[in-house]
Amino acid sequence: AKLGASAMNSIEKKFWDAAPIATGDCLENLQNLLPVPHFLASVSSALERSSEVDTYIRKKSLKFLADRVGELSPDSPEASLFLEMVPDLVALIDVDRSTDGSGEDSLTHVRRTIIIQQGALIAIECFVRSLYPTTDNGKLATNAAAAFLPALASITRLLNNTALSWIKASENCSDGESGVADAECQLLSSSSLCVYTIVTTLKARCLPQLSSIVKPLVASLKSVNELLGEPQEKAAASGELLQLSILKTLKALAETLPQFLPPFLPLLF
């Protein structure tokens, strides 16, 4: 791209078309060649050394982790090793975005932190889909729930904190804060979809978090409805995505835990 298409001959163009594909194939083969313990140790090291590892590498590591767990079944010998990674993913979600930098540097820090949080949320979704058994009884389900329920608690806190921050920013958003508000809107969508996956999988085990899930979702839905009612084309795409993700999660709650929703009906209506 830097050289420009006009400065390259046909052979060079073919090379640069093929190089990204070949590199991607090499990365996928490399991660599959590593035994699971070595693979998880490498990913864990990259995620822990946040100040030394580039954001792109950490994001790519999370994607590799999500891709590889998708190949497992809950009763595989490696499943327990992957479950031990859940606290590492939760630690990425629990990070405080307001503890570094100021001005432009602070904005960059917030955006990078949100990128990693979104990657961790996607990885947790993949973990839940792959590692929770189809039957809710037995030792496998108990072990998986013991890992995923604390994760749900952290995701719920993230959902609440991000909802409060985003609603405040969307009501009085200056030009300098618009980038953060848009990133938080996307993070809200990711958090909501992750909650959807956990609730539809763990079902009644999620009851202790029900109130902490419904209230920020409804508050965010009211806010995004008002936002989309205004002539702001810039916020339309992320706002509509947030709207859909919230409705999808509320629908899942109504279908999965219908007998526990009556106390929330006035709030919903």
Side-chain angles (χ1 to χ4, degrees), residues 21-81:
I21 299 173
T23 304
D25 291 342
C26 288
L27 289 171
E28 291 179 7
N29 290 332
L30 178 61
Q31 70 142 333
N32 289 328
L33 285 171
L34 283 173
V36 168
H38 294 81
F39 169 74
L40 293 178
S42 300
V43 171
S44 179
S45 177
L47 297 179
E48 289 175 359
R49 298 164 61 186
S50 58
S51 61
E52 303 174 25
V53 180
D54 183 84
T55 301
Y56 172 79
I57 295 177
R58 299 176 75 208
K59 180 183 176 183
K60 197 72 173 177
S61 298
L62 287 168
K63 184 180 184 303
F64 283 158
L65 189 62
D67 290 345
R68 190 148 180 176
V69 78
E71 302 171 358
L72 297 179
S73 61
D75 57 351
S76 64
E78 296 87 359
S80 60
L81 297 177

Side-chain angles (χ1 to χ4, degrees), residues 19 22 32 45 55 66 89 102 110 145 148 169-170 178 196 213 228 230 240 243 262 264 267:
N32 289 328
S45 177
T55 301
L89 298 176
S102 60
V110 169
F148 295 138
S170 62
S178 59
Y196 161 83
I213 292 171
L228 292 175
E230 300 174 1
E240 289 174 0
Q243 206 174 40
F264 302 101
L267 180 64

Side-chain angles (χ1 to χ4, degrees), residues 80-99:
S80 60
L81 297 177
F82 276 84
L83 283 176
E84 292 175 1
M85 284 289 298
V86 174
D88 292 341
L89 298 176
V90 172
L92 297 177
I93 292 171
D94 285 337
V95 68
D96 187 357
R97 298 197 301 265
S98 62
T99 58

Side-chain angles (χ1 to χ4, degrees), residues 113-130:
T113 303
I114 288 176
I115 287 172
I116 298 301
Q117 287 176 316
Q118 285 184 293
L121 289 168
I122 293 171
I124 289 174
E125 281 192 84
C126 294
F127 272 55
V128 173
R129 292 194 190 101
S130 299

